[in-house]
Amino acid sequence: MRFLSGIQPSGTITLGNYIGAIKNFVKLQDNPDFTDFLVFVADMHAITVPQDKQALRKNIRSLVAIYLACGLNPEKVHIFIQSEVPAHAQLGWILQCTGYIGELERMTQYKDKAAKHQTDGVTVGLLTYPSLMAADILLYDTDCVPVGQDQKQHLELTRTLAERFNNKFGETFVVPEPYIAGAGAKIMSLTDPTKKMSKSDENPKAFISILDDINIIKKKIKSAVTDSDTKVKFDKENKPGISNLLTILSCCTNTSISDLEEKYKDATYAEFKEDVANAVAAEIEPIQKKYNELINSDFLDKVLDEGRDYATYLSNKKINKVMNKVGLGRKR
Ligand code: AMP
């Protein structure tokens, strides 16, 4: 089975990205069901909204160093940058020509992002983003795509586009299955725990960046919004802040939520938060140390060269097949 996933280098990588995505990849890379494992930096997706050139460059390299520092093993995983593999853009275009505007306009992520960018302009790329995401997935005959709840609709569209293409042009694409990570994978904002933790939040106290200073990380957790009750108990509806901190602690310590509820049944919120802050710090500190060793290393470039070459090899086979089926190019 082939596994593929990517993250956009559009700013800092948060604790949400780490727990919801990267930490899972690190676990899954050892799963023998996955004979092929591809993880990429979705830089072409990032430019669907305005990006500063210098910052984008920095974020691309930084994300690769984070992947490695978090434990992705380049002996098991091919890591590459999307824009270095031209077949993504090529297939993205062909899929744009098989999708319908109505389908794309229905995507909730498009509606949300379009609303946010009303003043600086809504790019065509923001609308056709799911066609590029479909290309990312379909180029590699991906069997398994780990998606958060937020990407489920895009994966459905990918399946629709793959089936439509297969029906029209003959069997070409594997129709991918979603791999929805289990409960607890969604990390919420520290200032408004009814909202997802997001790197694009205007309030920096709302999210933890993997590269934040450790003392700042601890401070952010200690000042996380909770409730006026005093019980450490998992109850998403009535105690979203405490439930979010329980989820974070559970993920960082590999302890079940019910064990944690038992452990903290007599603790004050301050004591509980202190432990959450220390657990997150203990998880992130070694990652930062490795990150600093990797960020300017030649090793990182070697990993990316290998990843680019492998992804190019696989994706060129597919794009040639697709072009043939559609009738593009110069065959007699
Ligand atoms: P994005 O930052 O939107 O490019 O997301 C990259 C990956 O991180 C996707 O797999 C998301 O589902 C995941 N992710 C982003 N934010 C969170 C969050 N707050 N909790 C859990 N997973 C998240």
Side-chain angles (χ1 to χ4, degrees), residues 6-8 14 16-17 20-21 146 148 150 185-188 196-197 199:
I7 296 181
Q8 287 190 51
T14 68
N17 296 131
D150 53 340
K186 190 168 171 190
I187 304 302
M188 311 306 278
K196 196 176 103 162
M197 181 183 285
K199 55 190 158 203

Side-chain angles (χ1 to χ4, degrees), residues 68-80:
L68 294 169
C70 290
L72 282 183
N73 177 352
E75 291 188 358
K76 294 178 182 161
V77 182
H78 305 280
I79 300 174
F80 67 95

Side-chain angles (χ1 to χ4, degrees), residues 44-45 47-49 96 110 122-130 132:
M44 293 203 301
H45 284 286
I47 61 167
T48 52
V49 296
Q96 281 182 55
Y110 166 69
V122 179
T123 64
V124 176
L126 209 49
L127 178 67
T128 60
Y129 174 114
L132 182 60

Side-chain angles (χ1 to χ4, degrees), residues 202-308:
E202 278 157 21
N203 183 355
K205 286 189 180 155
F207 61 87
I208 287 174
S209 161
I210 288 291
L211 301 178
D212 272 344
D213 181 88
I214 291 292
N215 287 321
I216 294 193
I217 291 178
K218 287 186 181 174
K219 265 198 198 135
K220 284 184 182 178
I221 290 184
K222 288 182 195 168
S223 59
V225 168
T226 51
D227 52 60
S228 54
D229 186 29
T230 52
K231 260 217 141 0
V232 176
K233 204 167 154 305
F234 192 88
D235 176 352
K236 258 190 176 160
E237 190 106 323
N238 300 308
K239 301 169 74 69
I242 289 292
S243 303
N244 189 37
L245 293 177
L246 274 167
T247 303
I248 293 172
L249 186 58
S250 163
C251 291
C252 290
T253 57
N254 291 322
T255 313
S256 73
I257 302 264
S258 53
D259 284 356
L260 292 174
E261 282 176 328
E262 177 59 28
K263 180 170 175 193
Y264 292 99
K265 68 179 191 305
D266 298 320
T268 64
Y269 279 4
E271 287 162 347
F272 171 62
K273 280 178 164 179
E274 175 83 27
D275 281 8
V276 180
N278 288 335
V280 173
E283 182 88 0
I284 292 184
E285 231 169 354
I287 294 175
Q288 291 188 350
K289 188 166 173 278
K290 275 192 224 139
Y291 173 90
N292 290 328
E293 288 162 15
L294 285 161
I295 187 68
N296 290 316
S297 71
D298 294 338
F299 176 70
L300 192 143
D301 288 292
K302 259 202 204 146
V303 168
L304 286 176
D305 287 349
E306 187 284 333
R308 175 203 58 211

Side-chain angles (χ1 to χ4, degrees), residues 19-67:
I19 291 178
I22 304 175
K23 198 170 157 72
N24 278 335
F25 305 166
V26 173
K27 251 190 239 153
L28 289 171
Q29 70 183 345
D30 294 319
N31 183 331
D33 289 345
F34 298 121
T35 43
D36 218 8
F37 211 102
L38 302 168
V39 175
F40 67 99
V41 177
D43 58 344
M44 293 203 301
H45 284 286
I47 61 167
T48 52
V49 296
Q51 297 288 340
D52 172 78
K53 173 184 162 180
Q54 304 296 346
L56 180 60
R57 280 264 159 75
K58 196 164 160 253
N59 289 335
I60 291 170
R61 205 176 165 88
S62 175
L63 178 52
V64 179
I66 289 175
Y67 280 153

